[in-house]
Amino acid sequence: MGSTEFEAGYVNSWLAAWQHNLVYAQDPGQGETRRIWARVALSALDGAERAGYLARNADVSRFNLRALLISDLGPADDPLWDPDQLVSDVLGALPLSFEQAGEWVVDWRARPREQILAMRVCKNLLAPLKLIVDQVSDGRVEGWLELWGRLP
């Protein structure tokens, strides 16, 4: 077995653990224990990332799960479930500044592939904020969400 095959198998094992625990974390019947399942799922996702899974893909999954639980169960005393902390984490992971994204979106079809991909990464990372926008005190969210609809 080659090194690449081993690494892919290792990543896939972590992703399988992520998926298994994600099912319970998303199940409304689990109640407040959904947060525990989510923590286990997030740990598996961290393992996949350490094994070579793309950080941006992990961030998209991570942020979606956090937003879902904030939306369904509300914030808690833990920063992981704090809507404003999630906003900070999402904005910190964006590959573009608001100004760059605003400039590029105007003529995105004429942009180089790398720039279009960066805008798409922004769109994917920002999507979870739509679930929690009414619980956020950070004013930067509205501008990004207005821009979100225009991103490719």
Side-chain angles (χ1 to χ4, degrees), residues 39-132:
R39 281 200 175 279
V40 175
L42 292 170
S43 292
L45 192 58
D46 291 344
E49 195 173 359
R50 284 189 308 274
Y53 190 58
L54 286 177
R56 73 171 177 243
N57 293 348
D59 282 342
V60 168
S61 298
R62 192 177 288 119
F63 297 154
N64 277 315
L65 178 56
R66 286 174 62 189
L68 174 71
L69 292 183
I70 291 168
S71 175
D72 286 358
L73 300 175
D77 292 336
D78 184 340
L80 190 62
W81 315 118
D82 177 12
D84 291 324
Q85 183 61 52
L86 177 56
V87 169
S88 292
D89 293 346
V90 168
L91 295 180
L94 294 175
L96 302 174
S97 69
F98 182 72
E99 292 75 22
Q100 266 182 317
E103 288 175 22
W104 292 5
V105 76
V106 174
D107 62 348
W108 71 267
R109 285 180 177 85
R111 295 278 170 183
R113 177 173 160 64
E114 300 80 35
Q115 292 179 358
I116 293 170
L117 290 176
M119 287 186 279
R120 287 188 176 155
V121 168
C122 286
K123 188 167 190 166
N124 288 335
L125 289 170
L126 290 164
L129 299 185
K130 293 169 58 177
L131 287 174
I132 61 164

